[in-house]
């Protein structure tokens, strides 16, 4: 039985984590969908790939070099950086003649990423293997369908190392997928605990506000739309404050194209929005306990002349109101506890770091 070695080159971070989660399943999938008469062995080497379309030639050249150094039969790069072609989202790049391909994880979206990645890696291997078996009669239309729906196949310009490319047809769906996918790769849940000081100050402020009668009366007078507007204002205000306080918004630069800056900034906003909403929920729960303890129903109803039949709803309005005020008044005075950790959620920061790392590696090797 023929033995084939496939190299996987994930970028550091989430790409590496996802590959480690699926690598044990890949030999079985490859045997089922690629060639049952072969045994497939997968090896992993992590590399800080810079793989947007701005650096695609360098990236393809780099993964081919790693493939040759390791003696692999095929190589598949797996990156967490986005790639665009004429503002359309690129899912995959193939250099069929060199048995190399590149997969952009952000194009897989936010949900079921591990399952999609497993199928896409298998599909890439099938593509490269069948091209290598018979390049003259090879047709990509005969391959199993990729996971990402509504994709089109196109041939890149002649000066590109890639010989074939998968692109999501719809601009809207493609951009929605890639922004959500980039937000997922940022792992916003991992930095929620990085704002303990922020939540503490907001909780203290909300608790302090809740012991006065004026907020009680305001919470009863406010219509639901006003409470919703105040909540949205406090959340978006917090997001923009964090962006400003940590200088996370990428301005004009000669190093990064405008459409990539837009992607990076939208992803930063979405990531911090996720974190802020999570902290808002935590603060709501904490203030629920606080208000229940410090605001007795009898005094609340007496001071506000509220209808006793609606005590629970009145309490919810008060907690909702104080949560929004606490988020605004208390948390705006603080920042994240770890500057490096919060800056690492920005793609521009990570890409710049990795590109410099690659430059150092190239200088060392030469």
């Amino acid at each position: 039985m023929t033995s084939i070695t496939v190299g996987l080159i994930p970028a550091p971070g989430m790409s590496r984590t996802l590959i480690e989660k699926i690598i044990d399943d890949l030999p079985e999938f490859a045997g089922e969908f690629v060639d049952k008469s072969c045994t497939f062995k997968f090896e992993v080497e992590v590399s800080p790939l810079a793989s947007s379309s701005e650096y695609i030639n360098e990236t393809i050249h780099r993964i081919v070099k790693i493939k040759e150094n390791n003696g692999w039969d095929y190589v598949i790069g797996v990156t967490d950086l986005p790639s665009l072609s004429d503002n359309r989202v690129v899912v995959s790049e193939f250099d069929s003649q060199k048995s190399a391909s590149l997969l952009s994880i952000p194009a897989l979206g936010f949900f079921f990423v591990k399952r999609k990645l497993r199928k896409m890696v298998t599909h890439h291997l099938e593509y490269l293997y069948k091209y290598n078996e018979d390049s003259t009669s090879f047709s990509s239309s005969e391959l199993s369908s990729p996971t990402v729906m509504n994709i089109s196949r196109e041939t890149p310009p002649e000066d590109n190392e890639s010989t074939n490319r998968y692109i999501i047809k719809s601009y809207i769906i493609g951009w929605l997928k890639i922004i959500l996918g980039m937000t997922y790769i940022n792992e916003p849940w991992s930095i929620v605990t990085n704002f303990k000081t922020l939540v503490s100050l907001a909780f203290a402020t909300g608790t302090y506000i809740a012991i006065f009668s004026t907020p009680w009366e305001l919470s009863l007078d406010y219509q639901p739309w006003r409470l919703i507007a105040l909540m949205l204002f406090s959340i978006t205000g917090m997001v923009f404050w964090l962006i400003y306080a940590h200088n996370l918004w990428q301005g004009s630069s000669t190093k990064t194209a405008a459409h990539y800056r837009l992607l990076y900034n939208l992803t930063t906003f979405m990531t911090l929005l996720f974190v802020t909403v999570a902290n808002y929920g935590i603060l709501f729960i904490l203030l629920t306990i606080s208000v229940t303890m410090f605001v007795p129903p009898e005094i609340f109803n007496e001071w506000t002349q509220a209808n006793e039949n609606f005590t629970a709803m009145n309490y919810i309005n008060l907690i909702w109101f104080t949560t929004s005020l606490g988020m605004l008044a208390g948390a705006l005075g603080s920042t994240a506890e770890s500057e490096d950790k919060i800056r690492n959620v920005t793609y521009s920061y990570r890409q710049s770091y990795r590109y410099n790392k690659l430059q150092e590696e190239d200088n060392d090797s030469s």
Side-chain angles (χ1 to χ4, degrees):
M1 183 175 287
T2 305
S3 178
I4 294 175
T5 304
V6 183
L8 300 175
I9 308 178
M14 178 59 80
S15 300
R16 176 182 183 175
T17 301
L18 288 170
I19 286 295
E20 289 174 348
K21 288 181 178 179
I22 68 170
I23 192 166
D24 291 338
D25 301 328
L26 291 177
E28 180 181 350
F29 270 72
E32 180 179 353
F33 293 101
V34 180
D35 192 337
K36 295 180 180 179
S37 64
C38 296
T39 58
F40 293 90
K41 178 184 177 183
F42 289 84
E43 297 180 358
V44 177
E45 180 173 328
V46 180
S47 175
L49 299 174
S51 60
S52 64
S53 60
E54 297 170 299
Y55 308 109
I56 190 63
N57 287 345
E58 299 174 23
T59 305
I60 294 290
H61 176 74
R62 188 174 300 276
I63 65 175
V64 169
K65 184 178 179 180
I66 296 175
K67 165 182 170 287
E68 293 171 349
N69 291 340
N70 287 279
W72 295 333
D73 297 297
Y74 303 98
V75 64
I76 302 171
V78 181
T79 181
D80 57 0
L81 293 177
S83 185
L84 301 173
S85 175
D86 295 329
N87 288 330
R88 289 192 299 168
V89 174
V90 177
V91 181
S92 306
E93 303 271 3
F94 296 91
D95 189 336
S96 309
Q97 298 172 354
K98 297 179 181 177
S99 298
S101 66
L102 186 65
L103 171 62
S104 176
I105 294 182
L108 303 182
F110 192 91
F111 302 102
F112 312 111
V113 177
K114 186 175 77 170
R115 187 177 69 185
K116 292 177 182 176
L117 178 61
R118 185 172 55 207
K119 290 183 178 179
M120 284 301 293
V121 169
T122 305
H123 177 82
H124 276 230
L125 177 57
E126 181 187 11
Y127 185 106
L128 298 174
Y129 177 81
K130 292 187 176 177
Y131 179 90
N132 184 68
E133 287 289 291
D134 189 356
S135 60
T136 56
S137 62
F138 172 79
S139 173
S140 58
S141 61
E142 298 176 359
L143 303 176
S144 58
S145 177
T147 300
V148 181
M149 302 301 292
N150 298 319
I151 67 170
S152 61
R153 299 176 176 89
E154 70 171 33
T155 302
E158 292 183 1
D159 60 345
N160 203 307
E161 291 284 338
S162 174
T163 57
N164 195 20
R165 176 181 288 165
Y166 285 169
I167 290 181
I168 297 179
K169 293 179 181 178
S170 170
Y171 284 94
I172 297 175
I173 294 176
W175 275 70
L176 180 61
K177 270 183 173 292
I178 203 169
I179 291 172
L180 290 176
M182 291 167 71
T183 302
Y184 173 84
I185 290 170
N186 272 346
E187 301 179 82
W189 52 87
S190 69
I191 61 170
V192 170
T193 57
N194 197 43
F195 296 87
K196 293 189 289 291
T197 303
L198 183 151
V199 174
S200 299
L201 288 173
F203 174 65
T205 304
T207 301
Y208 180 76
I209 292 171
I211 66 176
F212 295 101
S213 60
T214 301
W216 301 359
E217 295 171 353
L218 286 174
S219 66
L220 292 177
D221 292 337
Y222 276 16
Q223 297 295 318
W225 69 267
R226 192 179 292 273
L227 290 171
I228 293 172
L230 181 60
M231 176 185 67
L232 295 177
F233 180 72
S234 67
I235 290 174
T236 55
M238 178 54 57
V239 171
F240 284 116
W241 166 254
L242 290 172
I243 290 174
Y244 170 77
H246 296 278
N247 194 26
L248 301 180
W249 199 263
Q250 185 180 8
S252 299
S253 170
T254 56
K255 293 182 179 180
T256 307
H259 47 275
Y260 282 104
R261 289 199 303 273
L262 176 61
L263 264 182
Y264 297 157
N265 289 330
L266 286 174
T267 303
T268 297
F269 179 85
M270 289 294 294
T271 301
L272 293 177
L273 180 64
F274 180 101
V275 173
T276 305
V277 169
N279 282 316
Y280 189 96
I282 294 171
L283 183 60
F284 187 93
I285 294 171
L286 293 174
L287 285 175
T288 298
I289 299 171
S290 176
V291 169
T292 303
M293 291 178 60
F294 293 110
V295 183
E298 298 79 9
I299 298 179
F300 183 86
N301 289 329
E302 181 181 346
W303 285 18
T304 60
Q305 297 181 349
N307 188 333
E308 295 184 6
N309 295 328
F310 296 95
T311 298
M313 196 64 219
N314 292 339
Y315 265 46
I316 291 175
N317 286 345
L318 175 60
I319 295 165
W320 194 359
F321 180 73
T322 55
T323 300
S324 298
L325 288 184
M327 182 69 78
L328 277 174
L332 285 180
S334 67
T335 56
E337 295 168 16
S338 172
E339 183 76 17
D340 289 338
K341 199 167 185 180
I342 188 67
R343 288 188 66 82
N344 198 48
V345 305
T346 61
Y347 263 78
S348 55
Y349 177 80
R350 290 206 304 274
Q351 186 175 18
S352 177
Y353 172 79
R354 291 180 187 175
Y355 187 74
N356 292 335
K357 196 78 173 174
L358 290 173
Q359 293 275 34
E360 292 176 6
E361 290 181 5
D362 289 341
N363 292 336
D364 291 341
S365 62
S366 60

